[in-house]
Amino acid sequence: MPPAAKQLAQMLDELGRVTDEPGKLTRTFLSPAMRRANARVGQWMRGAGLAVREDSMGNLIGRVEAPTVGAKTLLLGSHLDTVRDAGRFDGALGVLLPIVALGELKRRGIALPFAIEVIGFAEEEGVRFSSAYLGSKGYAGRLRAVDLKFRDAQGISAGDALRAFGNGKFSLPPAPHRVRDLLGYIEVHIEQGPVLEAKKLAVGVVSAIAGQTRGRLTFQGKAGHAGTTPMHLRRDALAGAAEFILFAETLARGCEPLVATVGTAAVAPGAPNVIPGEVKLSLDVRHPRNDSRIAALTLLLDAAKKIARQRKLSCAWQPTQDNGATTCSPDLTALLEQSNRAVQRRSLSLVSGAGHDAVVMSTLTPVAMLFVRCRDGLSHHPDEFAMPADLDIALQVVIDFLLRLAKDSTQ
Ligand code: HGY
Ligand code: MN
Ligand code: MN
């Protein structure tokens, strides 16, 4: 295996062991493991010749200047946070690969005519505050005051957590770039789906990213004695939530490519001999078309209200995220496709069902994404895996892309 690809695989393995939960990979927003990950990735960035800083959101930013003052900047990056019991490629690949690619260009003595910024975003997954992209929103100047009010499972607000992370003070990061100073944003990411594997391709490009709505749905009933309360007198919040979850699954099954997921359920008071009085569910709804996602959400919330009415429960919806579908830049994607064809002779374009920091970065500058095949399309799972040979192809594509962009920008 070529040295650069071997180095990348080793870095991914090492970073995959930086966790808050021994024995599994969990690295959430502003956690001790996040600090250790930023420190280690910062060392790798410096080794590749980048100047490193961390902004007030905890985003890690490595920058290499252009040889000429006033040159534009190309942004590359992804996220360094993970879901719980995660795989080691989701996010990390898009931060570490550009670092290795820049190290390779430095080794070859090649200086690019534009500046480069490699960003390791914090809190893309939205595990802690149930609201994704807080890091890239902070970087892109898109963070709203309401984002800082979301509370985690301990009731700590995002604003208080950021103040604690910043030794008692926090101010929103200033927008680091004027739009006209940017060439675009490139994100390398595992596909997290089965298409490239089915097509026997190592890499592909992304045409669009599905829209995503996330929020919290609370069913409120009445706790009571499990032994003495007759069934017809119960207001069981968990039974109502269960009926809703099955409705959501049935709706999405019948309306592909719609997906609807209840990923978490917090039951209170949470004892085997007490009728559940309250259940807080997370709800994640996605579709490549915005009108279809919005229509599906209306159906889901109407169903929740109907189920609550029939069971004498109350239900409340708190949206925590709402992102429309994102289209990738045709120009940057075409250049990436040329590099794909130069390296693997073919290129395939596909829609991303997963969300990415590119969604937020597309509000700042044109974006393009390179997908890398992952085994069985599995992600958000410890068995997530990308073959070293595919890492090598992705590295070659990104280096080829940087050289093509360099040639284009000097013509
Ligand atoms: O949830 C997602 O789509 C991504 O993994 N953040
Ligand atoms: Mn993810
Ligand atoms: Mn990801």
Side-chain angles (χ1 to χ4, degrees):
M1 182 169 45
K6 191 163 178 225
Q7 181 197 1
L8 175 56
Q10 287 167 345
M11 289 160 71
L12 285 160
D13 289 350
E14 181 180 339
L15 192 58
R17 292 189 290 272
V18 180
T19 179
D20 293 309
E21 290 188 63
K24 54 178 74 169
L25 174 56
T26 301
R27 194 165 60 231
T28 53
F29 191 34
L30 306 178
S31 73
M34 173 181 148
R35 282 190 190 277
R36 296 200 308 274
N38 278 7
R40 188 66 182 102
V41 177
Q43 285 174 330
W44 285 324
M45 284 181 169
R46 287 185 197 93
L50 288 86
V52 182
R53 67 185 178 91
E54 187 179 73
D55 71 12
S56 59
M57 295 300 298
N59 298 314
L60 185 71
I61 300 148
R63 184 175 172 87
V64 61
E65 294 300 345
T68 50
V69 174
K72 292 193 176 192
T73 300
L74 178 70
L75 307 174
L76 298 106
S78 192
H79 57 96
L80 288 175
D81 66 309
T82 74
V83 294
R84 296 197 194 294
D85 199 8
R88 64 187 184 282
F89 296 86
D90 177 5
L93 177 62
V95 184
L96 300 185
L97 187 146
I99 294 171
V100 173
L102 291 172
E104 185 57 20
L105 288 176
K106 186 180 166 211
R107 195 185 61 77
R108 296 182 198 174
I110 297 172
L112 296 168
F114 42 78
I116 292 254
E117 228 161 69
V118 179
I119 311 146
F121 288 113
E123 190 57 324
E124 184 272 347
E125 297 287 7
V127 170
R128 179 172 178 184
F129 292 102
S130 196
S131 180
Y133 312 139
L134 292 185
S136 44
K137 281 181 180 173
Y139 178 88
R142 301 286 183 258
L143 204 68
R144 305 158 304 162
V146 67
D147 293 318
L148 298 177
K149 294 193 173 71
F150 290 128
R151 292 187 180 279
D152 66 10
Q154 284 68 44
I156 299 168
S157 73
D160 287 343
L162 283 160
R163 262 180 291 285
F165 182 78
N167 299 321
K169 57 184 185 321
F170 170 73
S171 54
L172 285 175
H177 304 285
R178 290 172 307 185
V179 174
R180 63 172 180 271
D181 295 339
L182 294 175
L183 286 170
Y185 170 79
I186 305 296
E187 183 162 358
V188 179
H189 204 287
I190 49 168
E191 180 200 342
Q192 300 176 302
V195 175
L196 289 174
E197 194 169 53
K199 299 281 186 188
K200 299 189 178 8
L201 281 171
V203 295
V205 294
V206 176
S207 57
I209 303 166
Q212 184 182 148
T213 300
R214 239 188 254 188
R216 286 193 181 115
L217 192 59
T218 304
F219 286 95
Q220 189 89 37
K222 188 166 174 25
H225 196 298
T228 57
T229 312
M231 294 308 287
H232 70 282
L233 294 180
R234 295 183 178 203
R235 290 167 50 211
D236 184 332
L238 186 53
E243 187 176 345
F244 171 77
I245 293 168
L246 286 177
F247 174 88
E249 184 192 48
T250 308
L251 176 75
R253 276 178 189 266
C255 302
E256 298 266 7
L258 173 72
V259 285
T261 312
V262 173
T264 64
V267 182
N273 58 349
V274 179
I275 302 163
E278 180 187 83
V279 177
K280 285 185 187 293
L281 300 179
S282 64
L283 178 63
D284 175 317
V285 183
R286 308 189 195 195
H287 196 288
R289 288 174 51 92
N290 290 331
D291 53 354
S292 305
R293 173 173 50 84
I294 292 162
L297 186 67
T298 304
L299 285 172
L300 288 162
L301 297 182
D302 287 350
K305 282 181 220 145
K306 188 170 168 229
I307 290 165
R309 214 173 24 257
Q310 288 168 343
R311 291 171 170 269
K312 297 189 182 61
L313 306 174
S314 68
C315 91
W317 166 247
Q318 182 206 11
T320 56
Q321 178 186 330
D322 200 65
N323 293 100
T326 298
T327 306
C328 292
S329 152
D331 296 344
L332 286 175
T333 303
L335 206 58
L336 209 45
E337 280 179 320
Q338 285 177 37
S339 298
N340 276 359
R341 287 196 193 92
V343 174
Q344 73 170 8
R345 289 190 307 285
R346 282 189 295 151
S347 189
L348 180 76
S349 169
L350 52 161
V351 171
S352 173
H356 302 285
D357 287 306
V359 168
V360 174
M361 295 303 282
S362 68
T363 66
L364 186 65
T365 188
V367 303
M369 286 195 72
L370 180 70
F371 264 0
V372 180
R373 171 170 47 188
C374 57
R375 188 173 55 198
D376 302 333
L378 186 65
S379 181
H380 286 189
H381 188 283
D383 292 345
E384 184 182 277
F385 182 73
M387 293 185 293
D390 289 353
L391 299 182
D392 180 42
I393 287 173
L395 260 171
Q396 291 179 52
V397 166
V398 168
I399 290 172
D400 181 275
F401 171 86
L402 292 173
L403 297 175
R404 274 177 206 272
L405 192 63
K407 199 161 144 245
D408 283 6
S409 57
T410 46
Q411 275 167 347

